[in-house]
Amino acid sequence: MSIAIIGGSGLTALEGLEIQRQQMQKTPYGEPSGPLTFGLLNNRDIIFLPRHGNPHAIPPHRINYRANIWALRENGVEDIIAVNAVGGITARMSPGRLVIPSQLIDYTWSRQHTYYEGDGNEVVHVDFTCPYTPELRQQILHASKSIGLECRDGGIYGATQGPRLETAAEIKRMENDGCDLVGMTGMPETVLARELGLNYACICVVANWAAGKTDEIIKMDMIEKNLRDGMIKVRRLLSAAIGQAQG
Ligand code: HPA
């Protein structure tokens, strides 16, 4: 067993997954968002975990990211493909697009964001220059080409605290910082995978224009509709990417 998919908003269940069993995994950090689902996707063994739980009930700031990543590692996972709903900030990041981000900026606060708490052990600073594993990113991009699915290569993901959406001024500041996308769940999930030595890449689904990018206010029903449409593409992409995975 080596590959896991973490589902985000709009991907609470993975259609096409032939479920074999479910298992609740205890960890030193408490319980993950729900049981791990073991199954076959495109004839490969995978583990699926919806980070908001099923039903979708855990808000971004209450997700036990440490337990989720730990539980996957405990079950032999080496590669994680995460799916995240985002708002689009820069011009090409329009609703409906799929993007494989290449960098991130962390604006979250007061989340349990490390396994290296000190506790009398040696101080550890992991390298995070490239937050997403380049080979896994390429595998996903290659899969998108192989099925003729448009998928943007690169972009900077800004992780915000939520659960509220941002103000227009906050988005302007993020844009000045270089962010292309805004989402609430990218951190600390990404760095925790790095701390445990796992490969990690992310498929972002643009659900809406970020705050202040249009004259309209952001409505949940519009987000949900764009996510429903986007997830049809994500399922195809995941299946193709898993089919190409090594091991
Ligand atoms: N902001 C933050 N997170 C999001 C958004 C947004 O506009 N859309 C979907 N997730």
Side-chain angles (χ1 to χ4, degrees):
M1 175 60 61
S2 71
I3 194 152
I5 296 169
I6 300 182
S9 296
L11 197 70
T12 300
L14 192 56
E15 277 163 39
L17 178 66
E18 284 173 51
I19 297 176
Q20 293 168 325
R21 67 191 168 94
Q22 291 197 309
Q23 177 189 315
M24 201 61 211
Q25 177 75 46
K26 287 212 174 80
T27 82
Y29 303 95
E31 293 201 344
S33 299
L36 306 183
T37 299
F38 294 73
L40 281 177
L41 185 67
N42 203 357
N43 290 320
R44 277 215 51 191
D45 284 319
I46 68 143
I47 300 178
F48 177 68
L49 177 62
R51 69 166 75 75
H52 297 280
N54 186 6
H56 183 279
I58 312 171
H61 64 294
R62 301 287 299 275
I63 292 168
N64 191 340
Y65 295 96
R66 291 197 300 187
N68 286 352
I69 301 296
W70 191 273
L72 295 176
R73 207 268 308 254
E74 282 292 287
N75 284 277
V77 166
E78 290 166 4
D79 295 346
I80 297 176
I81 301 179
V83 180
N84 299 69
V86 295
I89 298 178
T90 48
R92 284 185 294 249
M93 304 296 172
S94 50
R97 270 191 182 277
L98 303 192
V99 186
I100 312 301
S102 45
Q103 276 293 332
L104 67 78
I105 299 178
D106 187 10
Y107 301 89
T108 64
W109 45 272
S110 86
R111 298 184 179 187
Q112 301 286 345
H113 64 288
T114 182
Y115 294 111
Y116 294 116
E117 291 285 15
D119 302 332
N121 298 316
E122 205 180 320
V123 175
V124 176
H125 305 286
V126 289
D127 177 79
F128 204 42
T129 310
C130 294
Y132 303 105
T133 307
E135 296 77 13
L136 194 52
R137 289 187 69 256
Q138 288 310 321
Q139 189 177 309
I140 298 168
L141 288 162
H142 190 262
S144 75
K145 285 202 188 84
S146 74
I147 56 171
L149 183 74
E150 202 186 327
C151 187
R152 211 180 146 66
D153 178 3
I156 302 181
Y157 178 111
T160 55
Q161 178 69 1
R164 67 166 176 84
L165 294 164
E166 298 70 36
T167 66
E170 286 168 335
I171 292 297
K172 208 168 202 177
R173 179 181 75 150
M174 292 178 75
E175 188 168 12
N176 289 338
D177 286 352
C179 294
D180 297 292
L181 304 163
V182 54
M184 301 174 192
T185 50
M187 283 293 281
E189 193 175 275
T190 312
V191 75
L192 292 169
R194 177 62 51 84
E195 285 190 348
L196 293 188
L198 309 182
N199 298 314
Y200 183 98
C202 162
I203 303 173
C204 287
V205 186
V206 183
N208 54 282
W209 282 115
K213 288 285 148 191
T214 64
D215 294 336
E216 291 166 28
I217 62 165
I218 302 169
K219 297 211 183 84
M220 281 306 291
D221 57 350
M222 179 193 54
I223 290 187
E224 280 159 13
K225 181 184 179 310
N226 286 330
L227 284 182
R228 265 196 306 278
D229 296 347
M231 290 307 162
I232 295 170
K233 296 191 259 181
V234 167
R235 288 191 185 94
R236 285 182 56 216
L237 179 54
L238 284 171
S239 181
I242 297 290
Q244 287 179 7
Q246 307 295 309

